[in-house]
Amino acid sequence: MADELDRKYEVEIQEREGRQKLPDPVKEELKASGMMDEKGKLKLKGVSPKMLKRMKQEFVECPVLKEDIHFIQCFVCPNFQSRVMGKVLCKGDKL
């Protein structure tokens, strides 16, 4: 039986009004991994358009990078484990 996920941090998901712009290095990483097309449209497997719209307005205070980052950047991070009731479960490994 799988117990709880082994995590270091539980990070609160916060919201901003309007859409946020993804930083260019993050966009390049998403394109390279096939999660964004050449036009800049996100293609996250298993995420509905409605949820994607919501995710674009969210951010987290990343405990690893020590800064506010776009939730989508957090979602594709290797430390991301799960999103549970307004919180992100993070492994906390160095990037």
Side-chain angles (χ1 to χ4, degrees), residues 5-71:
L5 291 170
D6 184 32
R7 64 184 181 272
K8 198 171 186 179
Y9 301 105
E10 259 186 43
V11 187
E12 196 78 33
I13 297 171
Q14 301 173 50
E15 232 175 276
R16 287 192 181 124
E17 287 297 312
R19 281 184 27 203
Q20 303 171 67
K21 189 176 184 318
L22 277 171
D24 289 334
V26 175
K27 283 184 181 179
E28 293 306 315
E29 202 175 305
L30 288 169
K31 284 179 185 175
S33 61
M35 293 185 203
M36 182 181 272
D37 64 16
E38 290 306 310
K39 294 178 183 172
K41 188 163 173 78
L42 284 163
K43 305 248 183 246
L44 299 176
K45 201 174 187 118
V47 179
S48 71
K50 185 178 177 182
M51 185 63 183
L52 195 56
K53 183 179 179 187
R54 186 171 153 201
M55 286 166 66
K56 287 180 180 177
Q57 296 178 323
E58 297 174 330
F59 71 98
V60 295
E61 292 174 20
C62 179
V64 178
L65 299 174
K66 306 277 189 256
E67 61 179 289
D68 288 354
I69 62 166
H70 203 290
F71 177 74

